[in-house]
Amino acid sequence: MDDMRYNKTKNDWRIEMGYSNSARLGYEFESIIADIFRSYGFTATLTDGKYHDIDVIKGEIKLAVEVKLFRDIKANNNAVLSAAEKVCHSAKESDFIPVIVSGNVVDERIRVRLKEYPTLFIVDIQNLLYLVDNDEVLRSRLLSVLSFSTDDLLPQESTELKKYNLNKLPPQKALHEDLIERIKKWEPSLKENTLYEKLCTDVIKYLFDSDLALWKEQQKSNDDLFRFDLICKIKDGTNKEFWTMAEKHFGTKYIIFEFKNYTEQITQKEIFTTEKYLYLKALRGIAIIISTKGSDKNADKAIRGTLRENGKLIISLTNEDLIEMIERKAIDDNLPAEFLSEKLDNMLVNLEK
């Protein structure tokens, strides 16, 4: 399913249990686009999707926005052409300006063809990256719904949006500072496991929003005996060393995360439990365990044994590790993955026979 949208009924924005991950991401992407416009002082209202997706209004400026998101880095040409016809018809009826917002790169040839609609303009992923460049929260949310890496894409200003005063936002409150503060204030308590899972998920999304996708939380095994907290998919096209090594040398496309809000260090028991979630033939050979106090000596020994004997990689991280990675991320987007590479290097160099 290339188009990540789904059919909505009027005023029905529920993401029910039966909806696909693509549907969930499509809805989240619409919400992000609405929030981007709101951050620039517009009123943005999600519609029922019958004619277009979002009404965007500020004063006399009225935009009819059709939102498209696809799995591949390039937008589906036929779908964009179809969306153009739809939104232009809708905008004409309501006296709005038609806009297509795509979370992908729109081919220049399609842009040329769409000049037959003189009032229509297109905003693609490079324009969106420009708009959220100074807002860590919006940028992280945007990147997290994409199935592909944007490492090779450069933010570009939209000349059309500039006419409506959508220039780059001034720097917003730093998300990384808020996350560091939340971690430093954290007091491990078994009664707050859910809150710790939320904190860790927020941190992982911030650290690896440009590297990982899917973000599927709290998964049970088929027999309901085991449960892991989060599973992510390595984005297509990522060029950071740790993720390319994960794919090429560990045959891994999916990363499992476990969050342990323990008052003591985790033991080999937690390592062996996590190992059961890993299946090399299912492209799932790496797990990352985050715990408040880290792992004890026996757990570290079990981690090395799992790697040596079964080729499964388990990395143990502490709250302090999270803080260091957040600080690195604030400097350079590549550094959190580099931190994981350093962890792996130390493990492989010191791996006993």
Side-chain angles (χ1 to χ4, degrees):
M1 180 178 179
D2 287 328
D3 190 346
M4 288 186 175
R5 292 208 17 81
Y6 66 99
N7 293 325
K8 303 183 295 293
T9 57
K10 188 172 183 178
N11 298 322
D12 182 9
W13 293 102
R14 296 173 296 168
I15 301 297
E16 300 175 355
M17 185 66 71
Y19 278 103
S20 69
N21 188 62
S22 294
R24 179 179 62 84
L25 292 178
Y27 169 66
E28 175 63 16
F29 184 62
E30 288 183 7
S31 299
I32 293 167
I33 299 306
D35 285 342
I36 290 175
F37 279 107
R38 290 172 186 140
S39 70
Y40 283 88
F42 287 78
T43 298
T45 305
L46 297 175
T47 73
D48 60 13
K50 184 177 181 180
Y51 300 106
H52 57 268
D53 296 314
I54 312 173
D55 288 331
V56 176
I57 301 172
K58 183 164 69 173
E60 296 181 356
I61 303 171
K62 298 180 180 180
L63 309 178
V65 178
E66 178 73 3
V67 178
K68 307 301 290 184
L69 181 64
F70 307 92
R71 291 186 183 277
D72 296 332
I73 190 169
K74 290 188 177 182
N76 182 295
N77 292 341
N78 290 333
V80 172
L81 292 173
S82 177
E85 182 178 359
K86 172 186 174 183
V87 73
C88 286
H89 177 75
S90 173
K92 185 177 180 180
E93 293 290 325
S94 56
D95 197 29
F96 277 40
I97 298 168
V99 183
I100 293 177
V101 176
S102 174
N104 314 81
V105 176
V106 177
D107 192 286
E108 190 61 34
R109 292 172 297 177
I110 297 301
R111 292 177 182 270
V112 172
R113 288 184 61 179
L114 291 179
K115 288 183 178 179
E116 65 182 84
Y117 302 104
T119 60
L120 172 73
F121 67 90
I122 298 174
V123 177
D124 75 358
I125 182 58
Q126 291 174 282
N127 304 135
L128 293 174
L129 291 174
Y130 181 88
L131 291 176
V132 301
D133 192 47
N134 282 331
D135 190 317
E136 284 188 324
V137 175
L138 282 175
R139 183 178 184 275
S140 184
R141 287 178 61 198
L142 173 62
L143 292 177
S144 69
V145 300
L146 304 179
S147 298
F148 53 87
S149 171
T150 60
D151 290 345
D152 296 327
L153 297 180
L154 294 176
Q156 291 183 2
E157 186 175 20
S158 166
T159 55
E160 290 89 353
L161 288 180
K162 189 176 181 180
K163 297 176 184 177
Y164 303 110
N165 297 318
L166 273 82
N167 301 307
K168 188 180 294 187
L169 286 170
Q172 306 297 302
K173 180 182 178 182
L175 175 59
H176 69 276
E177 294 177 356
D178 177 65
L179 291 173
I180 289 175
E181 183 179 354
R182 288 169 63 187
I183 296 172
K184 287 183 175 179
K185 288 182 177 180
W186 187 262
E187 291 293 337
S189 169
L190 294 178
K191 295 181 180 180
E192 298 185 353
N193 289 345
T194 302
L195 294 178
Y196 188 65
E197 291 171 6
K198 175 66 167 60
L199 171 59
C200 290
T201 299
D202 289 347
V203 171
I204 294 302
K205 279 190 174 182
Y206 169 73
L207 292 173
F208 303 118
D209 50 21
S210 60
D211 307 320
L212 302 177
L214 189 60
W215 306 104
K216 194 71 173 178
E217 299 178 22
Q218 296 187 354
Q219 294 296 292
K220 290 184 178 181
S221 62
N222 290 336
D223 54 13
D224 286 340
L225 293 178
F226 308 112
R227 183 182 69 84
F228 51 82
D229 296 315
L230 177 69
I231 185 169
C232 295
K233 183 179 180 181
I234 300 173
K235 289 187 178 183
D236 296 336
T238 184
N239 53 26
K240 297 183 179 70
E241 180 189 36
F242 181 80
W243 307 117
T244 56
M245 182 176 290
E247 290 184 295
K248 293 180 180 179
H249 301 291
F250 286 90
T252 292
K253 190 65 178 176
Y254 299 89
I255 310 293
I256 285 175
F257 291 91
E258 278 277 87
F259 310 128
K260 304 297 183 183
N261 183 38
Y262 292 0
T263 56
E264 304 294 336
Q265 292 178 316
I266 61 173
T267 67
Q268 60 183 1
K269 175 184 176 182
E270 285 72 46
I271 304 303
F272 293 142
T273 299
T274 299
E275 183 190 5
K276 295 177 182 178
Y277 305 149
L278 301 180
Y279 302 97
L280 299 180
K281 292 183 178 180
L283 306 180
R284 208 169 79 188
I286 296 179
I288 296 176
I289 302 178
I290 300 173
S291 57
T292 56
K293 302 296 183 180
S295 49
D296 65 19
K297 292 183 179 180
N298 287 331
D300 291 338
K301 185 177 180 180
I303 288 173
R304 295 193 298 272
T306 296
L307 177 60
R308 183 179 60 251
E309 296 169 14
N310 302 319
K312 301 176 182 178
L313 175 62
I314 298 175
I315 295 177
S316 174
L317 299 176
T318 66
N319 282 8
E320 292 300 317
D321 290 329
L322 294 183
I323 291 175
E324 181 172 347
M325 285 193 288
I326 292 171
E327 292 173 339
R328 291 191 183 198
K329 167 88 171 189
I331 298 172
D332 189 321
D333 186 62
N334 295 311
L335 295 181
E338 187 176 294
F339 183 90
L340 296 181
S341 291
E342 293 169 5
K343 284 274 188 180
L344 178 57
D345 287 343
N346 290 333
M347 193 183 307
L348 294 175
V349 168
N350 298 304
L351 192 65
E352 67 272 13
K353 295 182 179 179

